[in-house]
Amino acid sequence: MLMEFLMTGQDPAGAVEIDTGKPHPARMYDWYLGGKDNYPVDEEMGRQMLALDPRVPVMARVNRAFMHRATRWLAGHGVRQFLDIGTGIPTEPNLHQVAQQVAPDAAVVYCDNDPIVLAHAAALLRSTPEGVTEYLQADVRNPATIIEGARKILDFEQPVALSLIALLHFVSDEDGAHELVDRLLAEVPSGSYLMMTHATADFTPEESAAATAKLKAAGVTLALRSRDEFGRFFDGLELVEPGVAVVPEWHPELGEPVPGQEDGVIPGYGAVARKP
Ligand SMILES: C[S@@+](CC[C@H](N)C(=O)[O-])C[C@H]1O[C@@H](n2cnc3c(N)ncnc32)[C@H](O)[C@@H]1O
């Protein structure tokens, strides 16, 4: 099975090693969303983030709601293949459930580098009979590994929606965040899409600087980007209306508002764009 193919380096018996000594973004995000797949170290850092901005859980839900709306939009516009990198711990509805509700034959490849997502990947593999889902354990900083694995499931002669939702603010410029996206986009054909959200310090610079410093001290990279820096991910692509938007303002008619999202600006951008 593909999952096993990409598990080189993992215990052959299937055991997954979880590092509970430092916070992990996937588990903190799960804690914000009210999930149970997190540890005291994640909750502790999550509480520190809430002390800086109590709306972090609303932001997590708003981000998730963007994924639902953008997936609906793409499936509604004929996209049948999705490559979702930085998937996170499964949280219903997952991307394949949203896509397959519109198009039961949609194929979705998920990918994350956190072993806890691998440990819960079974929930991501419950595809419709007409569709297909698969999970790869890989790091976005190794795009060749991801493409090699995804090619076993997806037809790269047909459009693919590349989904990088709340991922790239964990990838620094030194690690080549923009170049990685260019590299992934180079592999997919014309008519493919990039869907993305990204946190920003544009609206809350002081709180954001404090959050970045706290996470850095705990070993977590947070690379917040400005509107212009976010926009650069879409260079050479055709932005879908309304272009780069504050996350809840991207096609709000395709979903329900998240309670609390109206209490101030959500400090994150979202956009969807087509590869010409
Ligand atoms: C905030 S969560 C977002 C989850 C999901 N995309 C969503 O928006 O609901 C970020 C995810 O990116 C993953 N991640 C962070 N750095 C990564 C990397 N270098 N390669 C792959 N995944 C990464 C984390 O493990 C985590 O699951």
Side-chain angles (χ1 to χ4, degrees), residues 20-248:
T20 58
K22 65 179 269 247
H24 278 217
R27 297 172 345 210
M28 288 173 64
Y29 190 70
D30 177 71
W31 183 75
Y32 298 142
L33 290 171
K36 298 275 174 275
D37 300 307
N38 52 76
Y39 294 86
V41 70
D42 307 306
E43 178 172 344
E44 166 56 23
M45 184 54 77
R47 288 194 189 283
Q48 290 189 40
M49 295 297 114
L50 256 64
L52 290 168
D53 188 339
R55 293 191 318 144
V56 176
V58 175
M59 291 175 210
R61 289 194 167 81
V62 162
N63 181 67
R64 206 72 207 156
F66 173 94
M67 182 272 278
H68 302 162
R69 299 195 306 278
T71 302
R72 258 176 227 132
W73 189 95
L74 288 162
H77 284 74
V79 177
R80 293 293 175 268
Q81 305 191 100
F82 294 81
L83 174 54
D84 179 59
I85 308 176
T87 295
I89 294 167
T91 303
E92 299 226 339
N94 295 292
L95 190 152
H96 74 279
Q97 294 165 307
V98 179
Q100 292 180 345
Q101 197 171 37
V102 180
D105 60 338
V108 180
V109 173
Y110 290 111
C111 173
D112 204 288
N113 71 342
D114 194 316
I116 196 151
V117 181
L118 172 64
H120 292 277
L124 300 169
L125 303 178
R126 296 189 196 117
S127 171
T128 54
E130 307 93 317
V132 55
T133 61
E134 188 53 276
Y135 177 75
L136 314 178
Q137 181 74 6
D139 194 300
V140 70
R141 291 168 294 183
N142 297 321
T145 307
I146 295 176
I147 296 296
E148 182 191 352
R151 273 189 196 285
K152 296 178 192 272
I153 302 294
L154 306 179
D155 175 1
F156 275 60
E157 301 297 313
Q158 298 298 321
V160 176
L162 184 59
S163 163
L164 308 176
I165 306 287
L167 167 68
L168 287 170
H169 48 238
F170 297 116
V171 180
S172 65
D173 288 345
E174 292 69 35
D175 275 337
H178 286 88
E179 293 76 9
L180 288 169
V181 173
D182 291 346
R183 178 78 204 286
L184 290 163
L185 281 168
E187 300 287 343
V188 295
S190 167
S192 294
Y193 285 88
L194 174 63
M195 63 188 264
M196 195 190 297
T197 62
H198 197 296
T200 184
D202 285 357
F203 307 105
T204 52
E206 283 169 23
E207 295 85 343
S208 297
T212 305
K214 275 188 191 298
L215 287 167
K216 186 176 180 192
V220 178
T221 298
L222 188 63
L224 299 172
R225 292 189 172 89
S226 67
R227 188 185 179 102
D228 283 352
E229 289 165 335
F230 177 69
R232 274 216 291 125
F233 286 113
F234 300 90
D235 281 357
L237 305 181
E238 298 161 352
L239 281 164
V240 168
E241 286 296 318
V244 171
V246 172
V247 176

